[in-house]
Amino acid sequence: MRVITTAADFREAERAARRPMGLTPTMGYLHEGHLSLVRRARSENATAVVSIFVNPTQFGSSEDLSTYPRDMEGDLDKLRREGVDLVFAPCAAEMYPKGFDTYIDVGEIAARLEGAHRPGHFRGVATVVCKLMTIVRPDNVYFGQKDAQQCLVIERLNSDLDLGANVVALPTARDADGLALSSRNARLTPEARKSALSLYRALRLAERLYAEGARDAGAIRGRMADLLSAEPGVQVDYVSIADAKTLVELDAIGGEALASLAARVGGVRLIDNVTLGT
Ligand code: PAF
């Protein structure tokens, strides 16, 4: 496995690499969720690439860039064991050199949900993913469905800017008790982790109500919000039942819907979602 830290060196390696090439972009502190994407990329491509870069532009001023967990050596060990060929691990000055002044704003799909609660977040995500895809030039690029809106934003970016990759979104990896895997879980105290399970319970409630025939999105949102507000230590950012493709909030569920939520648990912001009507 080769670890490359500059765009120029990566371009050279990319020219010699076997195709197809699959990229899994990450911010490191890798868990089973990331590794399931890496395994899929490994199985579908002649060259498996993973990028590790904690992207400063997607964190808001009051957000947790400085406390975002990092473990480069541990990550590289894991990726070696998965048989990854190339790791791209640039520093911030490589990705954003002095004078950097070009950003990508994806429109409507990026303005809703996470976009409304974390202004500038998707601008940072779209900019860095566009740069990573331009440097790596992957045939396939892999993301987790836990960040469902991020997947839609990247699909829009890939299509609008003709980046030419196939965007693959894979199911959310969960712990045995249902908690969605996230690098941020490392910052949950045992007590907060217990409270965080209410996010999954709220989504399971939405699934159960839907399975029982409920289609009134407002009523389902209300039941989910009630469940979350009864949990000590959980501060809800939003509870949403939206069209799965446009993320427009629904009155009634007709086609495929995305039930999603974001909440702070013990100071850690978590998101999760399930799809209804598939
Ligand atoms: O999902 C993430 O880890 C990040 O948003 C990504 C896609 C690696 C961009 O920094």
Side-chain angles (χ1 to χ4, degrees):
M1 184 176 85
R2 211 176 137 202
V3 181
I4 300 173
T5 56
T6 69
D9 285 351
F10 198 93
R11 284 216 181 83
E12 215 175 293
E14 180 270 310
R15 272 184 231 117
R18 290 186 304 137
R19 295 269 164 183
M21 181 189 274
L23 167 67
T24 308
T26 80
M27 297 208 298
Y29 212 73
L30 304 177
H31 51 62
E32 266 306 305
H34 296 114
L35 298 182
S36 67
L37 304 182
V38 170
R39 277 174 211 134
R40 180 70 170 264
R42 175 70 289 171
S43 74
E44 292 181 348
N45 298 275
T47 302
V49 182
V50 175
S51 63
I52 301 178
F53 179 61
V54 182
N55 175 34
T57 63
Q58 70 188 75
F59 289 81
S61 53
S62 63
E63 288 179 338
D64 46 4
L65 173 63
S66 62
T67 55
Y68 198 84
R70 293 158 211 245
D71 178 16
M72 185 58 87
E73 284 316 308
D75 289 347
L76 295 179
D77 282 348
K78 287 177 187 156
L79 296 178
R80 247 177 235 117
R81 284 200 289 275
E82 295 299 334
V84 165
D85 301 291
L86 298 172
V87 173
F88 181 50
C91 64
E94 175 70 15
M95 293 300 271
Y96 301 108
K98 198 166 182 302
F100 181 93
D101 202 19
T102 302
Y103 292 88
I104 294 174
D105 275 309
V106 176
E108 260 187 61
I109 196 76
R112 305 180 187 283
L113 303 176
E114 287 299 289
H117 285 81
R118 302 180 68 189
H121 171 66
F122 283 124
R123 185 180 204 232
V125 170
T127 302
V128 82
V129 170
C130 186
K131 280 178 68 82
L132 290 169
M133 288 174 72
T134 307
I135 295 164
V136 174
R137 298 204 321 115
D139 300 288
N140 299 299
V141 60
Y142 296 83
F143 295 93
Q145 182 65 24
K146 181 178 81 72
D147 299 298
Q149 187 177 13
Q150 173 169 276
C151 294
L152 294 170
V153 168
I154 304 297
E155 278 165 14
R156 185 80 268 150
L157 167 78
N158 181 57
S159 161
D160 288 356
L161 296 189
D162 295 310
L163 298 181
N166 175 39
V167 178
V168 184
L170 295 176
T172 304
R174 298 182 182 279
D175 275 333
D177 56 10
L179 186 69
L181 297 189
S182 163
S183 306
R184 288 167 191 224
N185 294 355
R187 289 173 44 217
L188 294 170
T189 61
E191 197 187 345
R193 193 188 175 289
K194 234 185 259 168
S195 298
L197 285 174
S198 62
L199 274 64
Y200 185 54
R201 281 206 304 277
L203 294 170
R204 292 293 302 271
L205 172 64
E207 284 180 327
R208 182 167 63 74
L209 293 171
Y210 182 84
E212 288 169 0
R215 295 295 181 267
D216 178 337
I220 298 175
R221 266 185 228 108
R223 292 282 302 275
M224 293 168 73
D226 288 348
L227 185 153
L228 291 168
S229 64
E231 186 70 36
V234 174
Q235 286 166 275
V236 177
D237 262 6
Y238 62 80
V239 171
S240 162
I241 307 281
D243 179 277
K245 291 275 172 279
T246 64
L247 299 184
V248 172
E249 288 300 322
L250 295 171
D251 293 328
I253 304 176
E256 199 174 275
L258 185 78
S260 67
L261 43 78
R264 275 177 200 281
V265 186
V268 182
R269 191 170 186 280
L270 300 174
I271 58 172
D272 200 355
N273 68 82
V274 294
T275 305
L276 305 175
T278 43

